Amino acid sequence: MRGNMEQEQTEFRTEVRRLWADSVTLATLQWESILEELKPLSIFGRNFKRRLTPFETGEEELWLEEIRLSKALEQMEHELRDEAFLAALRAIPNPLSFLALLEQDETGDQSDWFVLKQFLQQALVILQPFLKLQSDLQQTQRLLHACLAPLGAEDRGLSLDKISPRLADCQGKAARLEKEFQQHKTLRIQQLERELEHELDQVHRREQHIHEEQEHRKREKQGKLITQRDRYVYVSIYDQKALEICRARADLEQKQQTPFEIIFALIPDEQEKKLENSRKKLQKELERLEQESLRQLAQNIRPFLQELHQVTVELGKWDWRRAKWAWKKARNLEWPMLGESLVVREGRFLPLLDKLEGEGRAYSPLHVQAEYGCTLLTGMNMGGKSIALKTIGSLCLQAHFALPVSASFFQTALLQGLQMISGDQQSVTQELSTFGAEMHQLGQTLVTSNKLILLDELSRGTNPHEGEALVYAVMKQLAESKRHISVLVSHFTFKKDIPNIRCYQSGEMDGTGKISYTLREVQQGGAPRQAFYVAEQLGVPTEIIELAKQYLSKTLSITQGARKARKAGAGEMNRKTRTVRKAEKTAEDNLGNQKGEAYGAIKSGEGKDSLR
């Protein structure tokens, strides 16, 4: 049952995250590895983490309250480091299976109720530090005390005798009867030991051929026939005299034989049988009274089952907030803010940060701002553009899950989802190429609204002329509709006739060939052309680089010649067009003058004959 519950929780979590951000986006942003750093201590905190869902548009008040409560823990470091508090988080048991039994009119056994009692006691310890932060927790505290009282709040064990006086009386009788039974059995065992020792001693005295010292050692060895383990006698299979004595006794019976010894058991006498029968009857009465007490407990607890379920959720929330506090402190993070646009200052993509720090290399933090519409990131290859997109996406995820963010400042609106289209997203199952998969995802995303859309070199999988046209059209549509916050990385020439686009450039190179990964806001323009340098630095042979440069020079010459020809042709066409239009205008003016003269002659009576 527990396995099924965990599977359902995992499926629920996966479905919710898939709806807000698909699995490819989450994998690209290495989201699971980031979440793995947050470590709740309790089973309820881990369950809450598995069922974690992002805040969306319309949940701003809930988001702000969650941030407020999470931030408040920063003033409670002493309480959060308290050993009793941490021990309670680690040790608190999970009563949900037992609560489910109670909902089905079952009563459980004493071990179930002991688990519930431990849960109630540990829950009070865990929630105590947070009473001052959330007023309704005081009502939860009263509920826990009310449920704990019948179970014996001050006792470590489960005290059913305090619930039922009859059970307490029956337990007293059972204890006295057990004491009498054990005393009688002990007396019989002691008597048996004395008799066996005496009989063995007589046998040893009759065996004169055995040396006196050997007799002494043998007596020492065989004098411990009876152990303190209940009513059993253990005799070596080589001690034939002891075996004969034990087999001859009417109060012993052989129970078991091993390769080394034979075990005899003391047969109960009449007094023992009478006491055993009384024990069995009393045990049945005890079980009946215990079940009666458990049914009474269940009847008292059932009205609060829903509230107890909610207590497990509250425990999970507060353990999760404690995990967020610990993560923020360990990583030196900050809390996000709500706003109308997306603003990043000193943003860091944690997986890359850890890698660079492990290698002793410096990390260049991200500074960027993106409004509803379209923001362009351009620059040379290996200039950090894709990492900038991942940083933005990762920070957006952290903020929407109300986590501290890996930036000195991060602001965002609550959005309806996150979609990242990047890399080789070829879909074998849907029989789509890389370009086809990109277009499929893009088409599904553009019909929605209020998402963060991250596009990494869109249309890289098709021919550059049509690809550039598609990128231009997508940018123009995103910029004009302002339905999404979109950030696009591209090497295509930027079109200057798209208004209201913010443009950043990265990957500038100094005189020593060192690359700067800092984004710099620039005016609208094209991407730098440094592909040959990067290729050469990464080991592409020089002859290939030179051949590529020659080909590019030739291509550019042809292109420039074509442009000049088109420009010259366009000039000649414009000249001819102006000549034709001038002749047409002259003809129109002459015709107008002739019509005016004829009209004047008609009006004065002249020219009638000619008109006829």
Side-chain angles (χ1 to χ4, degrees), residues 42-287:
S42 70
I43 179 65
F44 308 110
R46 292 189 290 272
N47 285 343
F48 186 82
K49 177 182 177 179
R50 282 194 288 268
R51 297 179 66 88
L52 198 62
T53 58
F55 291 85
E56 296 183 350
T57 307
E59 297 180 331
E60 286 77 10
E61 291 299 323
L62 294 175
W63 186 90
L64 289 170
E65 178 64 9
E66 176 61 24
I67 293 295
R68 182 190 72 82
L69 293 173
S70 300
K71 291 175 68 173
L73 268 60
E74 296 179 7
Q75 308 302 320
M76 300 172 57
E77 182 169 354
H78 176 73
E79 292 89 337
L80 297 179
R81 294 187 181 278
D82 180 73
E83 287 298 327
F85 170 78
L86 295 175
L89 277 174
R90 295 187 181 99
I92 188 168
N94 187 358
L96 291 177
S97 298
F98 179 45
L99 296 181
L101 287 177
L102 292 177
E103 290 174 347
Q104 300 170 7
D105 290 332
E106 299 285 342
T107 58
D109 55 29
Q110 289 198 52
S111 62
D112 294 322
W113 287 95
F114 180 67
V115 167
L116 179 61
K117 180 176 180 179
Q118 285 186 311
F119 164 77
L120 297 171
Q121 290 173 328
Q122 304 288 18
L124 284 169
V125 175
I126 293 169
L127 294 178
Q128 179 63 37
F130 310 120
L131 295 176
K132 58 186 178 182
L133 301 181
Q134 193 172 346
S135 59
D136 55 358
L137 285 181
Q138 296 179 359
Q139 183 177 351
T140 302
Q141 185 187 46
R142 289 191 292 270
L143 167 70
L144 294 173
H145 279 299
C147 293
L148 187 59
L151 302 175
E154 302 301 325
D155 302 326
R156 293 179 62 86
L158 185 64
S159 304
L160 292 179
D161 56 331
K162 294 185 179 181
I163 302 171
S164 171
R166 293 173 58 198
L167 177 61
D169 181 61
C170 191
Q171 287 177 337
K173 290 180 181 179
R176 291 190 294 272
L177 184 60
E178 181 65 24
K179 182 178 180 181
E180 182 182 356
F181 179 83
Q182 293 298 334
Q183 286 177 344
H184 178 76
K185 186 172 68 172
T186 300
L187 290 174
R188 287 196 66 206
I189 290 174
Q190 290 173 350
Q191 177 66 24
L192 177 63
E193 285 179 335
R194 287 193 297 270
E195 292 175 358
L196 286 175
E197 185 178 359
H198 176 72
E199 292 183 36
L200 286 171
D201 186 64
Q202 293 298 322
V203 171
H204 294 157
R205 288 178 182 275
R206 287 194 296 267
E207 296 178 346
Q208 296 297 327
H209 63 281
I210 300 177
H211 191 270
E212 183 177 352
E213 184 177 351
Q214 291 177 331
E215 280 188 8
H216 177 72
R217 287 199 300 268
K218 192 170 184 179
R219 189 178 297 113
E220 284 293 319
K221 179 179 179 182
Q222 296 180 344
K224 297 180 180 179
L225 290 173
I226 302 232
T227 72
Q228 298 303 316
R229 288 179 285 177
D230 200 13
R231 56 173 70 242
Y232 296 101
V233 179
Y234 302 85
V235 183
S236 170
I237 61 174
Y238 304 107
D239 195 341
Q240 295 299 321
K241 297 297 182 181
L243 290 174
E244 290 175 4
I245 291 173
C246 290
R247 286 170 178 155
R249 291 187 64 93
D251 57 353
L252 289 178
E253 62 176 347
Q254 183 173 327
K255 280 291 187 182
Q256 186 179 354
Q257 181 172 345
T258 73
F260 308 102
E261 60 190 0
I262 295 177
I263 303 171
F264 295 88
L266 184 62
I267 299 173
D269 62 5
E270 292 300 321
Q271 178 66 15
E272 277 188 66
K273 293 178 180 178
K274 182 179 177 181
L275 291 172
E276 181 63 26
N277 289 334
S278 298
R279 287 175 67 197
K280 289 179 179 179
K281 291 179 181 179
L282 201 55
Q283 184 61 34
K284 289 183 178 179
E285 180 65 10
L286 274 173
E287 292 174 357

Side-chain angles (χ1 to χ4, degrees), residues 25-35 349 351-352 390:
T25 297
L26 294 175
T28 302
L29 299 177
Q30 302 181 48
W31 178 237
E32 291 299 328
S33 68
I34 293 175
L35 272 186
F349 184 56
L352 178 61
K390 291 181 179 181

Side-chain angles (χ1 to χ4, degrees), residues 123 242 357 426 438:
E357 287 183 347
Q426 183 178 16
E438 281 184 345

